Amino acid sequence: MVKMFVIMAYDVNVERVTKVLHVGRRYLNWVQNSLLEGELTNAQFARLKADLHKIINEEEDSVVFYVLRRQEYLDKQILGLEKGGQTIMI
Amino acid sequence: MVKMFVIMAYDVNVERVTKVLHVGRRYLNWVQNSLLEGELTNAQFARLKADLHKIINEEEDSVVFYVLRRQEYLDKQILGLEKGGQTIMI
């Protein structure tokens, strides 16, 4: 099963933050406020987007996905406190 | 000059949000709340981190960087409203 690495960052109306986070955490790992990451298959990614489509307001809310075929392409660094997920400290 | 693609996501105390955003925007493009992206050289990236080190509280604040050698490795998608920067709508 081919998986890709997905970064999800959301900027949504405060009324919908809890719902968006709840859906996001069903698929991805929480990193910090408004940010999740993890490995998904194409099917899982499609379901995540479909679930989010049902709860966001397209006129107000924004959910950005960065998708990478392979996690090896990515170097992750954190300044300050590591609030969640696996990472490399610098 | 070799450039890399940098995604910066921050989760900082509300007192420091404006300062962190101000520093971030000197180097990167604003995408949405708590999220910036753009191309940087190694030297620019080092200066960005040094500037941020001066203003964040390492015990409370978290700034996460995802760094990619080449932007081609990345597929960016947005659900809902595109709040800033260049992107592919879905």
Side-chain angles (χ1 to χ4, degrees):
Chain A
M1 215 171 16
V2 174
K3 291 208 166 188
M4 47 195 177
F5 189 74
V6 176
I7 298 161
M8 170 178 156
Y10 55 92
D11 177 0
V12 302
N13 184 298
V14 68
E15 287 158 27
R16 289 182 287 281
V17 164
T18 310
K19 270 193 228 159
V20 167
L21 174 58
H22 185 72
V23 166
R25 292 188 86 154
R26 282 209 302 261
Y27 296 85
L28 299 169
N29 305 309
W30 185 81
V31 177
Q32 63 185 26
N33 284 338
S34 308
L35 185 69
L36 300 109
E37 65 174 38
E39 289 195 295
L40 296 179
T41 63
N42 267 317
Q44 289 167 328
F45 186 38
R47 273 204 305 278
L48 168 58
K49 287 187 282 188
D51 290 353
L52 288 171
H53 255 303
K54 288 179 211 148
I55 55 173
I56 66 166
N57 174 329
E58 310 254 342
E59 320 285 305
E60 267 183 56
D61 300 334
S62 168
V63 183
V64 173
F65 296 102
Y66 295 101
V67 183
L68 297 109
R69 290 278 145 245
R70 296 159 58 126
Q71 196 169 351
E72 297 87 87
Y73 294 153
L74 192 67
D75 167 28
K76 181 177 172 186
Q77 301 178 26
I78 288 193
L79 278 192
L81 186 66
E82 184 206 330
K83 296 193 174 185
Q86 310 79 14
T87 183
I88 313 143
M89 296 291 293
I90 50 168
Chain B
M1 214 171 18
V2 174
K3 291 207 166 189
M4 48 196 175
F5 189 75
V6 175
I7 299 161
M8 170 178 155
Y10 55 91
D11 178 0
V12 302
N13 184 299
V14 68
E15 288 160 26
R16 289 182 286 281
V17 164
T18 311
K19 269 192 227 159
V20 168
L21 175 57
H22 185 72
V23 165
R25 291 188 87 153
R26 282 209 303 259
Y27 297 84
L28 299 168
N29 306 308
W30 184 83
V31 177
Q32 62 185 28
N33 283 336
S34 307
L35 186 69
L36 301 109
E37 65 173 38
E39 289 195 296
L40 296 179
T41 63
N42 267 318
Q44 289 167 327
F45 186 39
R47 273 204 305 279
L48 168 58
K49 287 186 282 187
D51 289 353
L52 289 171
H53 255 304
K54 288 179 209 147
I55 55 175
I56 66 168
N57 174 327
E58 310 255 341
E59 252 94 80
E60 268 183 57
D61 301 334
S62 168
V63 183
V64 174
F65 297 102
Y66 295 101
V67 183
L68 296 108
R69 290 278 144 245
R70 297 160 57 140
Q71 196 170 351
E72 297 87 86
Y73 295 152
L74 191 68
D75 168 29
K76 180 178 173 187
Q77 302 178 27
I78 287 193
L79 278 191
L81 187 65
E82 184 208 328
K83 296 194 175 185
Q86 311 79 17
T87 184
I88 314 143
M89 296 293 292
I90 49 169

